[in-house]
Amino acid sequence: MGHVEINGAPACVEALHRAATWNYGHFTSMQARRRTVAGLDLHLRRLREASADLFPERTPPADRTIVELIEHALGAARDASVRVTVLPAAADPTATDVMVSVSDPVPDTPGEPLRVRTIVYERELPHLKHVATMGLTYHYRAARRAGFDDVLFTTRNGQVSEGSVWNVAFWDGERVIWPDAPQLAGITMQVLRLGLKKLGVPYEQRRLSTAALAGMRAAAAVNSHCPNQPIAAVDDVALPDHRTLTGLLREAWQQVPWDTVAAGRQPGSDS
């Protein structure tokens, strides 16, 4: 499985070249299961707010239009990886184009615990999931060459922020801790917070220095591919006791209903 559509039509070479050359836009990624998506309304809000930020002079795509384009691109597929990218339209300076990429689904089961290293890196416009990803990809590849599995970013003043393409959750033995630093508010992180609240599991967002990680018992990477990927170590800080945290995150993930991808759905409707 794998194809790309722009505004509901198969993407031509010229359109793909333009998207790659301009390198200006934003996107959101999701996993579809049985034609439902976790946090679909959160994805739509992300696209709406990012469009207002990056394209204030252009008309943003309506939520209904985006859902229709996702539904169309899925075709007969029930399970898939979906990426929705909003780009400036070439022919109309007041409009935007919506590119929907569909590929094989990714299993959401955790892999072996990750060994990650920290690096000082702050994404431009960190609150946006934008297409300028060279920096984070460079640092991910550098970490892999150095023998690590992935990379965890810190700010210039030593505060933990986010992973390469994931948010990070920590467990201090009593509550889930999310770093408070400039970062992307990941959809999976938002869904997990809703689930944790339903379970009555305490969580908080606070500033975390790299030195503070020695006081944590566990850590996990969370994104649309997996809501509870355990982290074995950050630099030389071992975090081996991940079962409580990853179990809570998995249970929280299961608390939130998935939304049906259908043009006629109402915002906030359950699957």
Side-chain angles (χ1 to χ4, degrees), residues 9-271:
C12 63
V13 173
E14 291 79 10
L16 292 174
H17 180 265
R18 174 172 60 83
T21 302
W22 283 14
N23 197 32
Y24 189 83
H26 62 90
F27 69 99
T28 194
S29 298
M30 62 195 78
Q31 291 294 310
R33 295 293 184 270
R34 298 177 297 279
R35 300 181 74 82
T36 66
V37 170
L40 180 56
D41 291 325
L42 298 174
H43 284 285
L44 295 174
R45 184 177 70 184
R46 165 188 278 174
L47 295 173
R48 187 168 59 248
E49 293 178 350
S51 290
D53 201 335
L54 290 183
F55 309 120
E57 74 286 356
R58 295 172 182 258
T59 302
D63 289 359
R64 181 184 179 90
T65 298
I66 291 173
V67 174
E68 288 174 345
L69 293 174
I70 295 173
E71 185 180 28
H72 186 272
L74 282 172
R78 290 174 55 80
D79 298 344
S81 297
V82 179
R83 171 170 164 158
V84 181
T85 306
V86 180
L87 304 162
D92 185 349
T94 68
T96 51
D97 287 338
V98 179
M99 180 167 67
V100 182
S101 308
V102 175
S103 57
D104 289 331
V106 177
D108 67 356
T109 52
E112 291 297 315
L114 304 176
R115 293 180 59 254
V116 306
R117 77 170 182 183
T118 57
I119 191 76
V120 177
Y121 178 68
E122 299 176 15
R123 292 189 304 113
E124 291 183 317
L125 305 174
H127 64 291
L128 298 179
K129 194 174 181 72
H130 51 72
V131 299
T133 59
M134 178 178 173
L136 63 86
T137 302
Y138 171 83
H139 288 298
Y140 166 76
R141 291 171 60 86
R144 297 281 294 183
R145 289 194 299 270
F148 293 87
D149 298 306
D150 213 319
V151 63
L152 178 63
F153 300 137
T154 68
T155 64
R156 282 166 284 186
N157 62 357
Q159 301 299 313
V160 175
S161 57
E162 59 187 350
S164 59
V165 290
W166 39 271
N167 292 110
V168 62
F170 294 96
W171 176 251
D172 68 356
E174 296 181 355
R175 67 194 67 243
V176 177
I177 308 296
W178 306 95
D180 183 7
Q183 62 179 289
L184 180 71
I187 303 302
T188 299
M189 180 177 71
Q190 295 181 55
V191 171
L192 287 171
R193 287 179 176 179
L194 293 173
L196 290 170
K197 187 175 182 179
K198 285 190 173 185
L199 291 172
V201 176
Y203 69 86
E204 66 181 49
Q205 187 169 11
R206 70 171 187 243
R207 292 169 67 87
L208 284 176
S209 67
T210 52
L213 300 188
M216 297 296 161
R217 295 189 178 183
V222 307
N223 65 7
S224 63
H225 286 183
C226 181
N228 63 336
Q229 170 58 49
I231 295 175
V234 177
D235 296 331
D236 59 354
V237 177
L239 299 160
D241 188 19
H242 64 80
R243 288 176 178 79
T244 298
L245 174 60
T246 54
L248 285 172
L249 294 176
R250 172 60 65 178
E251 191 175 354
W253 184 247
Q254 295 169 344
Q255 297 302 306
V256 180
W258 286 41
D259 303 309
T260 303
V261 178
R265 67 179 292 276
Q266 296 298 314
S269 62
D270 294 342
S271 59

